[in-house]
Amino acid sequence: MSEGLVVNKNRTKNDLYETAGRLFSEKGYHGTTIRDIASAHGILSGSLYAHISSKEDLLFHLVDDGADTFLAALEPVVQGEGDGLQKLRDGLAAHIRVVTTQMNIAKVFLDDWTALGAERRKVIQEKRDRYERLWNQLLAQGISQGRIVTDHPKYLRILLLSVGNWVYEWYRPDGGLTPEALADTFMDIVLHGVLGRGEPAAPSGG
Amino acid sequence: MSEGLVVNKNRTKNDLYETAGRLFSEKGYHGTTIRDIASAHGILSGSLYAHISSKEDLLFHLVDDGADTFLAALEPVVQGEGDGLQKLRDGLAAHIRVVTTQMNIAKVFLDDWTALGAERRKVIQEKRDRYERLWNQLLAQGISQGRIVTDHPKYLRILLLSVGNWVYEWYRPDGGLTPEALADTFMDIVLHGVLGRGEPAAPSGG
DNA sequence: CCTACCGATCGGTAGG
DNA sequence: CCTACCGATCGGTAGG
């Protein structure tokens, strides 16, 4: 019965990653000090090294976790059966769901991975490439089914990922659209276009 | 006649801003030291302070310059006469032109402005708000002319700016599309959509 | 996880 | 723009 009172105990490594992720997301990797992280975690800076071996270790863990999260969200969509249009929408929703529900990890993955040393950056670059290939597959499926028609699949991919990535810059969890509603809204624009039937304005003086 | 030999002299403040902009863009504000900048500029770190009064001064100048550059590019488009569709395309082209031809300034403006102190961040926030309002005006013009039809003008603006901003993450000046061609490609997708005439896949087992 | 500390580097200054 | 430097803070360690 007294276990409800046990707070601030039994902090796990996950707490530490969460704290670091929040701070890196807010102030960037280089803008966050070891002492910031330790202080937010409620310990002294030297004590951090009982859990990690370097600041960059912390960054790599978060970035790698971010990469895996995006991959794990998209892979079942690409491999699934069904209509290519629906799958594309599901892919965008999966991406936006990661960005909105794991905003810190997504932001650190997207923004701070370049702070990694060459070797670890290469590991992440490979996962980024894999993620891009998954998107190409997803688009290729919709195109081969005739559900998507475009002369510029590459720029359609760039457009979708741009809009999906940029979500972390403006999205606020409280009171906004759900990730699914967001994906639907963006997909509606991209699928049907926004061109009206109005005529071009007459050249002035004509 | 000997003036052709006078090199590495007469460095101006603009050289310094360019150097700082390049380094901030590459490694971020916090990832760049005063000594990095001085060294790339060919002087010692203490000598920088003959030109600037603090590292944050340097950042503010670059970010503010970036804000003004985006505003100056978009304002004539919004105020100009003509077809709302063409103006929207011109607005996107103007934005992408800034990002691609002044990539360092654009990146520092978009990425590093949050490193500013509260007061200066507020100055930039106001210019960001102004820029957003300009985009809303531009969209409203196209909508009132009936050239643009959408239930979600806010998300159309977000989509266009997302795709415009993210350009700095992947664009490489050599061998890529021109800013105008890029804007045309993205606008084509957004105006006409990419929905094919294919039928939805039949439910499996149906 | 703390005490106590390390060498290196940070942004910045005085005086020329 | 250099010489010569400052106090503060950085990431990290030894020993408990």
XYZ file of all heavy atoms in Angstrom, chain B residues 101-177:
648
model
N 19.822 30.037 -52.985
C 20.930 30.922 -53.358
C 21.579 31.573 -52.144
O 22.671 32.110 -52.245
C 20.473 32.032 -54.322
O 19.544 32.879 -53.649
C 19.840 31.428 -55.555
N 20.900 31.524 -51.012
C 21.512 32.041 -49.783
C 21.313 30.993 -48.695
O 20.750 31.264 -47.633
C 20.877 33.377 -49.391
C 20.919 34.381 -50.542
C 20.637 35.788 -50.093
O 21.324 36.334 -49.221
N 19.617 36.401 -50.664
N 21.818 29.819 -48.995
C 21.543 28.649 -48.177
C 22.011 28.824 -46.731
O 21.305 28.444 -45.806
C 22.200 27.416 -48.802
C 21.666 26.122 -48.247
S 21.282 24.835 -49.485
C 22.305 25.290 -50.868
N 23.204 29.393 -46.531
C 23.717 29.539 -45.168
C 22.829 30.448 -44.333
O 22.449 30.098 -43.215
C 25.141 30.084 -45.186
C 26.115 29.095 -45.801
O 25.848 27.896 -45.823
N 27.228 29.588 -46.303
N 22.511 31.600 -44.908
C 21.662 32.546 -44.191
C 20.286 31.953 -43.914
O 19.725 32.099 -42.829
C 21.559 33.866 -44.989
C 22.709 34.788 -44.556
C 20.218 34.557 -44.769
C 22.581 36.208 -45.034
N 19.746 31.250 -44.916
C 18.425 30.653 -44.741
C 18.449 29.599 -43.632
O 17.555 29.544 -42.780
C 17.955 30.031 -46.054
N 19.499 28.789 -43.635
C 19.579 27.716 -42.644
C 19.753 28.272 -41.230
O 19.123 27.801 -40.286
C 20.736 26.766 -42.988
C 20.773 25.540 -42.117
C 21.682 24.461 -42.691
C 21.655 23.218 -41.813
N 22.562 22.169 -42.296
N 20.622 29.275 -41.103
C 20.824 29.892 -39.790
C 19.530 30.549 -39.318
O 19.134 30.424 -38.153
C 21.977 30.918 -39.840
C 22.056 31.724 -38.555
C 23.301 30.211 -40.102
N 18.852 31.223 -40.242
C 17.576 31.859 -39.897
C 16.563 30.823 -39.419
O 15.872 31.029 -38.411
C 17.024 32.614 -41.109
C 15.596 33.057 -40.958
C 15.239 34.003 -40.004
C 14.598 32.518 -41.760
C 13.918 34.407 -39.854
C 13.273 32.916 -41.618
C 12.936 33.851 -40.663
N 16.492 29.709 -40.119
C 15.457 28.725 -39.803
C 15.825 27.854 -38.608
O 14.954 27.432 -37.849
C 15.199 27.840 -41.031
C 14.497 28.533 -42.212
C 14.554 27.679 -43.470
C 13.047 28.876 -41.852
N 17.120 27.590 -38.426
C 17.539 26.609 -37.424
C 18.033 27.223 -36.123
O 17.813 26.669 -35.055
C 18.678 25.750 -37.989
C 18.172 24.491 -38.652
O 16.959 24.429 -38.925
O 18.979 23.582 -38.903
N 18.760 28.338 -36.216
C 19.521 28.807 -35.061
C 18.919 30.011 -34.367
O 19.468 30.479 -33.367
C 20.964 29.142 -35.488
C 21.789 27.890 -35.745
O 21.450 26.838 -35.176
O 22.773 27.970 -36.507
N 17.805 30.509 -34.852
C 17.243 31.729 -34.261
C 16.817 31.488 -32.814
O 16.798 32.418 -32.003
C 16.067 32.232 -35.093
C 14.815 31.431 -34.940
C 14.597 30.177 -35.414
C 13.631 31.823 -34.252
N 13.340 29.764 -35.063
C 12.722 30.756 -34.361
C 13.244 32.974 -33.567
C 11.451 30.796 -33.790
C 11.979 33.015 -33.009
C 11.092 31.932 -33.122
N 16.523 30.252 -32.456
C 16.096 29.959 -31.079
C 17.249 30.091 -30.086
O 17.011 30.096 -28.881
C 15.511 28.545 -30.980
O 16.438 27.619 -31.539
C 14.199 28.449 -31.734
N 18.473 30.172 -30.571
C 19.619 30.351 -29.671
C 19.754 31.806 -29.217
O 20.560 32.100 -28.341
C 20.905 29.879 -30.356
N 18.971 32.698 -29.804
C 19.024 34.106 -29.406
C 18.418 34.301 -28.017
O 17.559 33.534 -27.593
C 18.249 34.962 -30.413
C 18.867 35.127 -31.805
C 17.850 35.756 -32.762
C 20.124 35.983 -31.746
N 18.867 35.351 -27.346
C 18.263 35.718 -26.073
C 16.825 36.176 -26.273
O 16.402 36.447 -27.408
N 16.091 36.241 -25.163
C 14.645 36.476 -25.225
C 14.291 37.731 -26.028
O 13.377 37.711 -26.862
C 14.086 36.577 -23.804
N 15.021 38.807 -25.796
C 14.663 40.077 -26.416
C 14.831 40.040 -27.929
O 13.952 40.451 -28.686
C 15.539 41.186 -25.820
C 14.891 42.557 -25.831
C 15.628 43.510 -24.885
O 16.176 43.025 -23.864
O 15.676 44.712 -25.180
N 15.973 39.557 -28.345
C 16.245 39.496 -29.779
C 15.399 38.427 -30.461
O 15.034 38.551 -31.620
C 17.727 39.221 -29.993
C 18.559 40.446 -29.663
C 20.022 40.133 -29.658
N 20.812 41.274 -30.072
C 22.138 41.263 -30.163
N 22.806 40.164 -29.879
N 22.796 42.331 -30.544
N 15.107 37.370 -29.730
C 14.246 36.335 -30.307
C 12.869 36.929 -30.613
O 12.223 36.574 -31.587
C 14.145 35.148 -29.342
C 13.713 33.868 -30.014
C 13.942 32.631 -29.147
N 13.265 32.706 -27.876
C 13.868 32.615 -26.702
N 15.182 32.437 -26.640
N 13.188 32.698 -25.596
N 12.457 37.854 -29.754
C 11.146 38.492 -29.959
C 11.138 39.323 -31.248
O 10.151 39.317 -31.992
C 10.831 39.385 -28.750
C 9.345 39.559 -28.474
C 9.124 40.347 -27.180
C 8.226 41.543 -27.419
N 8.188 42.461 -26.259
N 12.232 40.032 -31.486
C 12.339 40.817 -32.722
C 12.173 39.908 -33.940
O 11.450 40.226 -34.892
C 13.709 41.536 -32.785
C 13.904 42.211 -34.128
C 13.840 42.538 -31.654
N 12.830 38.764 -33.888
C 12.760 37.827 -35.016
C 11.379 37.192 -35.100
O 10.831 37.014 -36.191
C 13.851 36.747 -34.882
C 15.240 37.391 -34.846
C 13.751 35.741 -36.019
C 15.557 38.251 -36.043
N 10.816 36.868 -33.941
C 9.481 36.272 -33.934
C 8.482 37.174 -34.655
O 7.615 36.697 -35.403
C 9.022 36.017 -32.496
C 7.636 35.378 -32.413
C 7.619 33.974 -33.006
O 8.333 33.090 -32.556
N 6.808 33.766 -34.035
N 8.619 38.475 -34.445
C 7.702 39.411 -35.106
C 7.859 39.387 -36.627
O 6.873 39.464 -37.358
C 7.930 40.831 -34.561
C 7.197 41.071 -33.245
C 7.699 42.307 -32.503
O 8.414 43.135 -33.113
O 7.386 42.446 -31.296
N 9.082 39.269 -37.077
C 9.297 39.197 -38.531
C 8.796 37.868 -39.084
O 8.276 37.798 -40.199
C 10.782 39.404 -38.847
C 11.256 40.804 -38.493
C 12.610 41.172 -39.089
C 12.968 42.616 -38.729
N 14.252 43.074 -39.307
N 8.940 36.820 -38.291
C 8.390 35.529 -38.721
C 6.869 35.606 -38.836
O 6.281 35.089 -39.783
C 8.777 34.429 -37.721
C 10.262 34.097 -37.712
C 10.595 33.097 -36.595
N 10.029 31.785 -36.823
C 10.675 30.762 -37.353
N 11.941 30.903 -37.714
N 10.103 29.600 -37.517
N 6.246 36.277 -37.868
C 4.791 36.442 -37.914
C 4.375 37.250 -39.143
O 3.377 36.946 -39.791
C 4.300 37.143 -36.635
C 4.463 36.267 -35.402
O 4.685 35.044 -35.563
O 4.376 36.790 -34.273
N 5.148 38.286 -39.424
C 4.850 39.106 -40.602
C 4.936 38.275 -41.874
O 4.110 38.418 -42.783
C 5.857 40.271 -40.701
C 5.257 41.633 -40.435
C 6.292 42.732 -40.516
N 6.705 43.052 -41.871
C 7.882 43.621 -42.194
N 8.757 43.901 -41.239
N 8.184 43.884 -43.435
N 5.942 37.441 -41.931
C 6.114 36.598 -43.119
C 4.939 35.636 -43.281
O 4.434 35.430 -44.373
C 7.440 35.834 -43.010
C 7.858 35.179 -44.303
C 8.208 35.939 -45.416
C 7.912 33.790 -44.420
C 8.595 35.339 -46.603
C 8.303 33.182 -45.607
C 8.648 33.962 -46.693
O 9.025 33.366 -47.872
N 4.509 35.090 -42.157
C 3.351 34.180 -42.198
C 2.107 34.917 -42.681
O 1.317 34.386 -43.460
C 3.132 33.592 -40.801
C 2.062 32.514 -40.754
C 1.912 31.927 -39.355
O 2.932 31.567 -38.738
O 0.770 31.844 -38.877
N 1.922 36.149 -42.215
C 0.769 36.938 -42.655
C 0.819 37.224 -44.153
O -0.206 37.228 -44.833
C 0.688 38.251 -41.861
C 0.115 38.075 -40.447
C -0.332 39.400 -39.837
N 0.757 40.346 -39.675
C 1.591 40.391 -38.633
N 1.446 39.519 -37.637
N 2.552 41.283 -38.569
N 2.029 37.469 -44.655
C 2.161 37.692 -46.096
C 1.689 36.464 -46.877
O 1.000 36.581 -47.892
C 3.617 38.003 -46.452
C 4.104 39.429 -46.205
C 5.585 39.550 -46.557
C 3.281 40.428 -47.017
N 2.040 35.311 -46.389
C 1.614 34.081 -47.054
C 0.098 33.912 -46.965
O -0.537 33.476 -47.925
C 2.326 32.862 -46.458
C 3.610 32.586 -47.179
C 4.860 33.004 -46.835
C 3.754 31.866 -48.406
N 5.774 32.600 -47.760
C 5.128 31.891 -48.738
C 2.870 31.212 -49.262
C 5.625 31.275 -49.894
C 3.366 30.596 -50.403
C 4.733 30.630 -50.711
N -0.459 34.256 -45.850
C -1.914 34.184 -45.726
C -2.599 35.124 -46.716
O -3.616 34.771 -47.317
C -2.341 34.517 -44.292
C -2.054 33.371 -43.337
O -1.944 32.215 -43.763
N -1.918 33.680 -42.054
N -2.022 36.313 -46.879
C -2.576 37.249 -47.866
C -2.503 36.678 -49.275
O -3.454 36.759 -50.053
C -1.796 38.574 -47.837
C -2.071 39.465 -46.647
C -1.204 40.730 -46.689
O -1.091 41.387 -47.714
N -0.587 41.061 -45.572
N -1.339 36.117 -49.570
C -1.126 35.555 -50.907
C -2.147 34.457 -51.196
O -2.755 34.409 -52.270
C 0.301 35.002 -50.982
C 0.904 34.706 -52.346
C 0.835 35.924 -53.255
C 2.343 34.239 -52.203
N -2.364 33.610 -50.220
C -3.336 32.528 -50.392
C -4.748 33.092 -50.484
O -5.552 32.636 -51.310
C -3.229 31.541 -49.227
C -2.040 30.584 -49.298
C -1.830 29.868 -47.975
C -2.259 29.565 -50.423
N -5.034 34.092 -49.663
C -6.379 34.678 -49.672
C -6.700 35.294 -51.032
O -7.847 35.249 -51.493
C -6.494 35.732 -48.572
N -5.695 35.867 -51.663
C -5.913 36.445 -52.993
C -6.305 35.372 -54.008
O -7.256 35.535 -54.769
C -4.638 37.176 -53.462
C -4.327 38.426 -52.648
C -2.927 38.984 -52.924
O -2.168 38.456 -53.734
N -2.572 40.064 -52.234
N -5.567 34.288 -53.995
C -5.875 33.201 -54.924
C -7.237 32.593 -54.657
O -7.954 32.201 -55.582
N -7.590 32.523 -53.380
C -8.884 31.942 -53.000
C -10.026 32.870 -53.403
O -11.031 32.435 -53.965
C -8.904 31.655 -51.480
C -7.967 30.476 -51.158
C -10.326 31.359 -51.013
C -7.713 30.255 -49.676
N -9.857 34.180 -53.159
C -10.934 35.131 -53.466
C -11.148 35.234 -54.978
O -12.239 35.548 -55.440
C -10.622 36.504 -52.875
O -9.610 37.149 -53.614
N -10.112 34.969 -55.727
C -10.252 34.964 -57.195
C -10.842 33.654 -57.706
O -11.078 33.507 -58.903
C -8.880 35.180 -57.858
C -8.298 36.574 -57.689
C -6.950 36.724 -58.394
O -6.517 35.843 -59.122
N -6.290 37.854 -58.167
N -10.988 32.701 -56.816
C -11.509 31.408 -57.233
C -10.485 30.520 -57.916
O -10.819 29.458 -58.432
N -9.224 30.953 -57.892
C -8.177 30.169 -58.542
C -7.682 29.046 -57.641
O -7.106 28.067 -58.109
C -7.001 31.086 -58.920
C -7.405 32.213 -59.862
C -7.681 31.689 -61.246
N -6.447 31.423 -61.949
C -6.303 30.493 -62.890
N -7.334 29.739 -63.224
N -5.165 30.318 -63.496
N -7.838 29.252 -56.346
C -7.459 28.244 -55.360
C -8.708 27.845 -54.597
O -9.459 28.701 -54.130
C -6.429 28.806 -54.356
C -5.174 29.316 -55.070
C -6.066 27.773 -53.292
C -4.255 28.251 -55.556
N -8.905 26.556 -54.469
C -10.066 26.066 -53.728
C -9.594 25.034 -52.712
O -9.032 24.009 -53.067
C -11.102 25.418 -54.661
C -12.244 24.822 -53.842
C -11.642 26.444 -55.664
N -9.816 25.339 -51.443
C -9.418 24.389 -50.406
C -10.213 24.643 -49.131
O -10.574 25.782 -48.828
C -7.914 24.482 -50.093
O -7.598 23.597 -49.017
C -7.518 25.902 -49.674
N -10.486 23.571 -48.422
C -11.136 23.697 -47.115
C -10.121 24.014 -46.027
O -10.492 24.314 -44.899
C -11.831 22.377 -46.755
C -13.035 22.125 -47.651
O -13.591 23.099 -48.177
O -13.407 20.952 -47.825
N -8.831 23.905 -46.341
C -7.803 24.009 -45.306
C -6.674 24.954 -45.721
O -5.532 24.524 -45.879
C -7.223 22.622 -45.015
C -8.243 21.595 -44.671
N -8.859 21.562 -43.437
C -8.776 20.574 -45.374
C -9.715 20.550 -43.405
N -9.685 19.920 -44.567
N -6.995 26.246 -45.872
C -5.945 27.180 -46.293
C -4.755 27.183 -45.345
O -3.616 27.340 -45.772
C -6.661 28.536 -46.309
C -7.908 28.343 -45.511
C -8.280 26.908 -45.650
N -5.034 26.999 -44.048
C -3.936 26.975 -43.084
C -2.957 25.840 -43.388
O -1.740 26.024 -43.349
C -4.494 26.815 -41.660
C -3.410 26.634 -40.604
C -3.991 26.414 -39.217
C -2.930 25.953 -38.235
N -3.493 25.640 -36.906
N -3.498 24.672 -43.696
C -2.621 23.526 -43.930
C -2.007 23.562 -45.322
O -0.947 22.981 -45.549
C -3.364 22.225 -43.634
C -3.649 22.113 -42.153
C -4.890 22.455 -41.624
C -2.636 21.757 -41.274
C -5.121 22.411 -40.254
C -2.849 21.710 -39.914
C -4.091 22.033 -39.403
O -4.305 22.010 -38.050
N -2.650 24.270 -46.223
C -2.015 24.494 -47.520
C -0.796 25.392 -47.344
O 0.263 25.149 -47.933
C -3.018 25.137 -48.492
C -2.451 25.534 -49.860
C -1.816 24.346 -50.578
C -3.538 26.164 -50.741
N -0.940 26.418 -46.521
C 0.209 27.295 -46.242
C 1.323 26.501 -45.566
O 2.495 26.606 -45.939
C -0.224 28.450 -45.327
C 0.870 29.495 -45.102
C 0.615 30.309 -43.842
N 0.827 29.517 -42.643
C 0.053 29.530 -41.564
N -1.003 30.316 -41.522
N 0.329 28.760 -40.524
N 0.951 25.701 -44.580
C 1.963 24.897 -43.890
C 2.658 23.960 -44.864
O 3.885 23.814 -44.844
C 1.319 24.113 -42.725
C 0.968 25.073 -41.582
C 2.246 23.003 -42.234
C 0.233 24.422 -40.415
N 1.907 23.346 -45.743
C 2.499 22.423 -46.714
C 3.502 23.145 -47.615
O 4.629 22.676 -47.813
C 1.397 21.765 -47.540
C 1.835 20.682 -48.531
C 0.744 19.615 -48.651
C 2.136 21.247 -49.910
N 3.092 24.309 -48.124
C 3.978 25.030 -49.039
C 5.247 25.510 -48.336
O 6.349 25.404 -48.873
C 3.235 26.219 -49.663
C 2.139 25.844 -50.662
C 1.339 27.076 -51.072
C 2.732 25.155 -51.889
N 5.089 26.016 -47.130
C 6.268 26.512 -46.413
C 7.148 25.354 -45.927
O 8.368 25.473 -45.885
C 5.851 27.403 -45.239
C 5.485 28.820 -45.669
C 4.964 29.645 -44.499
C 6.712 29.516 -46.271
N 6.527 24.239 -45.565
C 7.318 23.073 -45.163
C 8.232 22.631 -46.291
O 9.430 22.416 -46.113
C 6.404 21.902 -44.775
O 5.604 22.232 -43.664
N 7.632 22.526 -47.463
C 8.390 22.040 -48.606
C 9.440 23.077 -49.018
O 10.543 22.726 -49.429
C 7.407 21.680 -49.755
C 7.201 22.802 -50.714
C 7.857 20.430 -50.453
N 9.102 24.344 -48.874
C 10.053 25.398 -49.198
C 11.208 25.455 -48.215
O 12.365 25.614 -48.602
N 10.902 25.311 -46.946
C 11.946 25.378 -45.931
C 12.877 24.169 -45.978
O 14.089 24.286 -45.842
C 11.329 25.455 -44.534
C 10.677 26.797 -44.276
O 10.989 27.797 -44.931
N 9.749 26.832 -43.328
N 12.274 22.998 -46.163
C 13.074 21.764 -46.081
C 14.100 21.653 -47.205
O 15.008 20.822 -47.155
C 12.146 20.539 -46.066
C 12.797 19.315 -45.534
C 13.242 18.234 -46.256
C 13.117 19.012 -44.164
N 13.794 17.291 -45.425
C 13.738 17.748 -44.141
C 12.925 19.710 -42.959
C 14.168 17.149 -42.953
C 13.360 19.128 -41.779
C 13.976 17.861 -41.786
N 13.943 22.519 -48.217
C 14.870 22.505 -49.346
C 16.334 22.551 -48.913
O 17.188 21.893 -49.493
C 14.553 23.679 -50.308
C 15.692 23.931 -51.274
C 13.264 23.407 -51.082
N 16.617 23.296 -47.853
C 18.017 23.414 -47.445
C 18.582 22.098 -46.945
O 19.794 21.951 -46.806
C 18.212 24.527 -46.395
C 17.704 24.222 -44.999
C 18.340 23.294 -44.170
C 16.607 24.894 -44.492
C 17.879 23.032 -42.894
C 16.143 24.639 -43.219
C 16.783 23.713 -42.433
O 16.322 23.449 -41.171
N 17.729 21.141 -46.637
C 18.224 19.862 -46.123
C 18.738 18.938 -47.217
O 19.505 18.039 -46.947
C 17.114 19.141 -45.347
C 16.731 19.800 -44.040
C 17.691 19.473 -42.897
O 18.615 18.647 -43.090
O 17.533 20.064 -41.809
N 18.262 19.125 -48.421
C 18.630 18.166 -49.470
C 19.150 18.803 -50.748
O 19.804 18.145 -51.546
C 17.418 17.284 -49.828
C 16.223 18.060 -50.288
C 15.203 18.547 -49.510
C 15.930 18.484 -51.630
N 14.299 19.246 -50.279
C 14.716 19.215 -51.588
C 16.565 18.313 -52.864
C 14.146 19.782 -52.721
C 15.994 18.880 -53.994
C 14.790 19.593 -53.910
N 18.885 20.100 -50.954
C 19.259 20.727 -52.226
C 20.768 20.883 -52.355
O 21.422 21.306 -51.403
C 18.596 22.092 -52.330
C 18.793 22.772 -53.677
C 18.021 22.426 -54.763
C 19.762 23.758 -53.834
C 18.193 23.053 -55.995
C 19.942 24.394 -55.059
C 19.159 24.028 -56.135
O 19.323 24.648 -57.343
N 21.291 20.523 -53.510
C 22.693 20.786 -53.815
C 22.747 21.605 -55.094
O 22.189 21.202 -56.110
C 23.471 19.479 -53.997
C 23.628 18.655 -52.728
C 24.457 19.393 -51.672
N 24.313 18.769 -50.336
C 23.457 19.185 -49.414
N 22.663 20.207 -49.655
N 23.403 18.584 -48.250
N 23.385 22.778 -55.045
C 23.334 23.733 -56.149
C 23.773 23.125 -57.486
O 23.220 23.439 -58.534
C 24.330 24.825 -55.709
C 24.399 24.710 -54.235
C 24.205 23.250 -53.933
N 24.765 22.237 -57.442
C 25.314 21.704 -58.684
C 24.416 20.611 -59.268
O 24.143 19.601 -58.637
C 26.723 21.157 -58.456
C 26.831 20.412 -57.129
O 26.647 21.063 -56.082
O 27.054 19.187 -57.152
N 23.958 20.865 -60.470
C 23.263 19.810 -61.198
C 21.803 19.623 -60.847
O 21.148 18.753 -61.394
N 21.276 20.408 -59.918
C 19.873 20.250 -59.565
C 18.984 21.158 -60.378
O 19.438 21.860 -61.285
N 17.710 21.122 -60.098
C 16.770 22.020 -60.754
C 16.997 23.452 -60.277
O 17.473 23.676 -59.161
C 15.331 21.615 -60.414
C 14.666 20.560 -61.295
C 15.397 19.229 -61.189
C 13.200 20.383 -60.911
